[in-house]
Amino acid sequence: MITINDIAKEAKVSAGTVDRVIHNRGGVSKKTAAKIKAIVAKHDFQINAIASSLALNKRVEIATLIPDYDTKNTFWKSPMMGILKAKEEVKKIGATITCYTFNQFDEASYVSQFKKIIASKPDAMLLAPLFGSVTKNLVKELDEKEIPYVFININLEGCNNSSFIGQDSYMSGFLAGKLMQLSLKESNTIAVMQTRINLDNNHAIYNRIKGFEAYFTSHNIQVNLINVNIIDLDNVIELKDKLATMFAHNPDIQGVFVPNSRIFTFVAAIDLLKIKRMVLIGFDGTDKNVVCLEDENVAFLISQQPFKEGYEAIKMMVDFLIDKKELDARVYSPIEILTKENVRFSKHSK
């Protein structure tokens, strides 16, 4: 009796791709889908019979570890929704996804959850390595136990991860620098908001800032970049006072660069200060950020399709574990520029 792997082999695709075609879930080109359907028809198999044979394949377990989210920090909701959608789909082919989360501002929370995952002995792991230094030590145990792991959102160098899926954070920062320069059109003072303790421990934000700075140096553009350390973003009044001091000492600031997903908090604080004609550029099309964009309080948002990252990460890991499909070392997400004019037409809105 022909198996799902036989069909996949004949079509020269993965079993996951065959499964998507059989259950009409999309994500497969018309040409490939037609080829698979022709093979299914040739062997005269009913869809239920194929689904059953698929379920008999090797069962695999994948653990995911990403930050949790709340009303103030909503970015990680999107990749989690992508993971959960993929989780429902891949369980039909014998894959179990167990989701763990941690407090993105608490390294101990991250370490605790990581150790729980190691103890559970998964077949593979998907993680957001938010705490770079400690991650490099923790993944050594994954290496020793030969548990493959994939990074999402943050590409931490110096590890043996099988793949990375996410945005090129350096280039996204570089693009933000270009957008800022085009918006200001002359040499100006720009405030760069550093919102993490031990900035170099958070590689995504660190690389965004480095890319932002590199745009100006690589183009020999004279600009005054002021690095401002603001850690607590939950207290808008306190944030307003810190920004008031910043603007008092640097009255010529015309641009504000926020390399994380919470530019809406800066908009609220600046609004309290009644400061106008400010160019603000931030990251991620979260609902609150998009409102700021539509109200023209933010000039640009750099977005990266986080839902798709979570979804595709699980799908490609299942293909890797079940069908031994080779993983690409890097799977880059688009670097999207969201504006007031295009945001409702973007993939973010879907």
Side-chain angles (χ1 to χ4, degrees):
M1 178 178 177
I2 192 170
T3 68
I4 196 66
N5 281 332
D6 294 328
I7 294 171
K9 186 178 295 184
E10 187 172 341
K12 296 182 180 179
V13 297
S14 70
T17 299
V18 174
D19 182 62
R20 288 195 286 274
V21 172
I22 291 171
H23 294 94
N24 297 313
R25 284 194 290 269
V28 181
S29 70
K30 291 181 179 179
K31 183 178 179 181
T32 300
K35 181 195 296 185
I36 292 170
K37 289 177 181 178
I39 295 170
V40 169
K42 181 178 72 173
H43 293 289
D44 196 26
F45 269 88
Q46 298 299 314
I47 287 178
N48 286 342
I50 294 176
S52 297
S53 71
L54 190 59
L56 291 174
N57 280 319
K58 177 186 176 183
R59 303 191 67 81
V60 297
E61 295 184 6
I62 298 173
T64 71
L65 180 61
I66 67 172
D68 52 23
Y69 58 89
D70 54 30
T71 56
K72 294 179 180 178
N73 297 280
T74 61
F75 170 79
W76 287 100
K77 179 179 180 179
S78 289
M80 177 58 81
M81 293 302 102
I83 288 170
L84 293 178
K85 177 175 173 56
K87 175 181 178 178
E88 286 302 305
E89 294 183 8
V90 300
K91 70 180 181 181
K92 299 180 179 69
I93 56 174
T96 300
I97 313 300
T98 304
C99 300
Y100 297 79
T101 60
F102 64 93
N103 183 337
Q104 64 177 300
F105 303 104
D106 181 5
E107 185 176 288
S109 167
Y110 176 72
V111 173
S112 174
Q113 293 292 75
F114 202 113
K115 290 183 176 180
K116 286 182 182 178
I117 292 174
I118 293 175
S120 72
K121 300 178 181 179
D123 294 297
M125 182 177 178
L126 172 68
L127 71 148
L130 227 63
F131 299 97
S133 299
V134 70
T135 298
K136 290 184 177 181
N137 286 324
L138 290 169
V139 296
K140 290 178 182 177
E141 191 164 353
L142 295 177
D143 294 334
E144 291 172 1
K145 296 180 181 299
E146 297 185 344
I147 298 174
Y149 52 96
V150 170
F151 290 151
I152 184 171
N153 188 257
I154 300 168
N155 190 16
L156 184 61
E157 300 293 342
C159 298
N160 297 317
N161 54 303
S162 300
S163 183
F164 159 75
I165 183 166
Q167 197 174 71
D168 185 323
S169 53
Y170 181 89
M171 287 308 300
S172 66
F174 194 90
L175 174 60
K178 183 173 186 177
L179 292 172
M180 183 68 78
Q181 177 63 20
L182 291 174
S183 298
L184 297 176
K185 297 181 180 178
E186 59 184 30
S187 297
N188 283 278
T189 299
I190 301 168
V192 178
M193 299 300 169
Q194 298 187 1
T195 58
R196 293 275 184 173
I197 300 174
N198 299 326
L199 180 62
D200 58 352
N201 201 26
N202 187 301
H203 286 242
I205 292 177
Y206 177 82
N207 286 333
R208 286 172 181 173
I209 292 175
K210 289 303 176 184
F212 185 81
E213 295 171 344
Y215 174 78
F216 297 99
T217 56
S218 65
H219 288 77
N220 295 317
I221 297 172
Q222 297 299 316
V223 63
N224 183 24
L225 297 180
I226 299 176
N227 292 315
V228 183
N229 293 302
I230 298 180
I231 306 303
D232 185 7
L233 299 183
D234 292 332
N235 189 327
V236 175
I237 300 302
E238 183 177 338
L239 176 59
K240 182 204 73 170
D241 292 341
K242 289 182 178 180
L243 292 179
T245 301
M246 178 190 78
F247 286 122
H249 291 156
N250 303 279
D252 54 343
I253 290 176
Q254 293 295 312
V256 175
F257 175 56
V258 181
N260 65 20
S261 62
R262 295 190 62 186
I263 196 169
F264 68 89
T265 59
F266 289 88
V267 169
I270 290 173
D271 186 58
L272 291 174
L273 293 172
K274 308 297 182 183
I275 296 176
K276 305 296 182 182
R277 300 185 304 277
M278 190 71 55
V279 176
L280 276 76
I281 296 177
F283 283 79
D284 304 314
T286 62
D287 291 341
K288 291 183 179 180
N289 283 351
V290 168
V291 169
C292 295
L293 192 68
E294 293 175 332
D295 291 343
E296 298 186 327
N297 291 314
V298 170
F300 302 101
L301 292 172
I302 309 296
S303 185
Q304 59 183 317
Q305 300 181 11
F307 175 91
K308 184 178 180 182
E309 290 174 7
Y311 177 82
E312 292 296 338
I314 295 299
K315 302 292 277 191
M316 72 182 193
M317 290 178 74
V318 171
D319 285 346
F320 168 73
L321 292 171
I322 292 179
D323 297 309
K324 308 303 179 185
K325 184 177 179 181
E326 185 176 349
L327 289 170
D328 292 328
R330 292 176 175 81
V331 180
Y332 285 119
S333 299
I335 303 178
E336 293 187 320
I337 304 172
L338 299 182
T339 68
K340 174 186 178 181
E341 294 75 19
N342 74 0
V343 67
R344 67 189 181 97
F345 304 110
S346 72
K347 289 185 178 181
H348 152 80
S349 65
K350 299 179 177 61

